[in-house]
Amino acid sequence: MAKMSYKVPTSLNRSFLDHEITLSKGGWAAKPSPIKQLFFFGGGALALLWAVTQTFVASSGPVFITLFVIWGLALIVYFGGMTKTEELRAMNVPALLAYAPSRARNVFTRRSSDPSDFYSIVGIDGIEEDGRIHFSDGGEGQVYLVVGSASYLLFDEDRIGILDRVDAFWRKIDTNCEWSFVTTKEPQRIYHQVASLEHRNHALEVRDPDLIELQNEQYDILTQHVGGKFTSIHQYLLLKGKSADALRRAHMVLQSEVEGSALMIKEATVLDREETEPMLRVFYQGIEDDLHSLKASLN
């Protein structure tokens, strides 16, 4: 049976400086702090002491020295604080300095602009007709539209069965392929409904104005309301293998899981290029531009 809760294991990237120690004396004990934080506080205090005694600050008046010490201590305490990812705030200074120039905060996507900046963000060399994605690092990927079985209304035995199946599934996954679940909120997919409506429109033998008006009304409801204003949650699975063989093995594992049980993944549909590009476009372009192509009339 799967566990009810899981503990995040210690990162393999943990070094000696990440170990926490507790400073205590008598009956008093401080909050556990990483060794790197204590080193930062100690080094900052020594640097502040050197600045006060060996630089031009020492020749200043007592008021200026006091203000400088208060400012230095506040700076040390702030940059020595820990972030949510257990890193020193001082580690974010290089990224902040690199982000400060305006050219580092904008990526131009004009046809006349250098595509290198945008290409470095996307990292995709091309997408084949069957939906196979070629990444710039040499990996290959495939996107699936997936449907799961999780729900708030599950019975206890169903919930336990899903947890057991998911736990067993992730234990057999190869590390040569990345499994990334992407959840988006997009307009409902109405391509089949629109195609059916257009087929019915072309099959009309009598082009009665009332019938045309009725079909145009249905078309407007589909494109401007159902496919425009009414959004739903879509979940995708991106398999990115280090090689074509790793992607093939991951596809076989996914196919076996879908065919063997509906607890982990109830349905998985392979997306071709025409369906993969709109999914990626949600992140880099948005969904508003996709709606203009559907607002033509059946006339």
Side-chain angles (χ1 to χ4, degrees):
M1 176 179 174
K3 299 179 181 179
M4 297 300 297
S5 61
Y6 292 86
K7 180 182 179 180
V8 178
T10 303
S11 174
L12 296 177
N13 196 30
R14 183 183 177 93
S15 65
F16 167 76
L17 298 177
D18 294 314
H19 290 279
E20 295 183 349
I21 61 176
T22 302
L23 301 178
S24 60
K25 184 178 182 180
W28 174 84
K31 181 181 178 181
S33 301
I35 298 178
K36 59 184 178 182
Q37 187 180 35
L38 299 178
F39 280 169
F40 183 85
F41 286 153
L46 292 177
L48 180 61
L49 180 62
W50 173 84
V52 171
T53 57
Q54 301 296 329
T55 63
F56 66 93
V57 179
S59 60
S60 303
V63 177
F64 180 80
I65 294 178
T66 303
L67 294 177
F68 182 81
V69 170
I70 294 176
W71 174 81
L73 291 176
L75 206 64
I76 294 172
V77 172
Y78 177 77
F79 285 106
M82 305 298 293
T83 63
K84 293 182 179 180
T85 56
E86 298 301 324
E87 292 290 339
L88 293 173
R89 289 197 184 99
M91 303 300 295
N92 296 328
V93 174
L96 177 63
L97 296 178
Y99 185 75
S102 59
R103 57 183 177 83
R105 291 179 271 117
N106 296 279
V107 176
F108 295 100
T109 57
R110 302 185 183 95
R111 293 184 182 274
S112 59
S113 303
D114 184 6
S116 302
D117 293 337
F118 183 72
Y119 175 76
S120 64
I121 297 176
V122 179
I124 296 177
D125 289 339
I127 304 177
E128 297 182 2
E129 187 67 28
D130 59 353
R132 179 68 61 89
I133 303 175
H134 297 275
F135 293 93
S136 57
D137 60 355
E140 296 190 4
Q142 188 79 49
V143 180
Y144 301 81
L145 178 64
V146 296
V147 178
S149 302
S151 173
Y152 284 108
L153 304 179
L154 290 172
F155 293 105
D156 290 340
E157 55 271 18
D158 296 330
R159 179 174 57 83
I160 294 175
I162 291 176
L163 291 175
D164 291 339
R165 188 75 185 190
V166 172
D167 181 74
F169 174 79
W170 289 115
R171 291 178 183 273
K172 60 183 180 182
I173 293 301
D174 191 1
T175 56
N176 290 326
C177 185
E178 299 179 14
W179 295 64
S180 302
F181 286 93
V182 180
T183 303
T184 62
K185 194 172 183 180
E186 310 172 34
Q188 299 185 27
R189 298 176 178 270
I190 58 173
Y191 302 108
H192 296 293
Q193 293 89 330
V194 171
S196 176
L197 190 59
E198 291 180 347
H199 177 74
R200 188 173 63 182
N201 176 67
H202 292 310
L204 283 178
E205 298 180 358
V206 179
R207 310 296 296 182
D208 185 79
D210 293 335
L211 291 178
I212 297 298
E213 183 179 357
L214 178 61
Q215 290 206 355
N216 283 333
E217 182 180 354
Q218 295 176 351
Y219 189 83
D220 292 338
I221 293 175
L222 278 176
T223 57
Q224 299 183 19
H225 296 277
V226 178
K229 298 180 180 179
F230 298 154
T231 58
S232 59
I233 295 177
H234 301 263
Q235 191 166 38
Y236 302 92
L237 172 61
L238 171 62
L239 297 184
K240 180 186 176 183
K242 295 182 179 180
S243 61
D245 184 66
L247 180 62
R248 180 186 59 82
R249 294 197 302 268
H251 174 78
M252 294 177 60
V253 172
L254 176 62
Q255 182 179 3
S256 174
E257 181 66 26
V258 174
E259 295 176 352
S261 173
L263 295 177
M264 172 68 183
I265 298 177
K266 183 185 298 184
E267 180 182 349
T269 305
V270 182
L271 302 186
D272 57 14
R273 182 169 60 189
E274 294 183 356
E275 296 172 317
T276 301
E277 289 179 349
M279 189 276 290
L280 297 175
R281 194 176 297 121
V282 171
F283 300 98
Y284 301 108
Q285 177 178 338
I287 62 177
E288 296 296 333
D289 296 338
D290 294 339
L291 302 179
H292 297 295
S293 60
L294 297 176
K295 292 183 180 179
S297 173
L298 284 175
N299 290 330

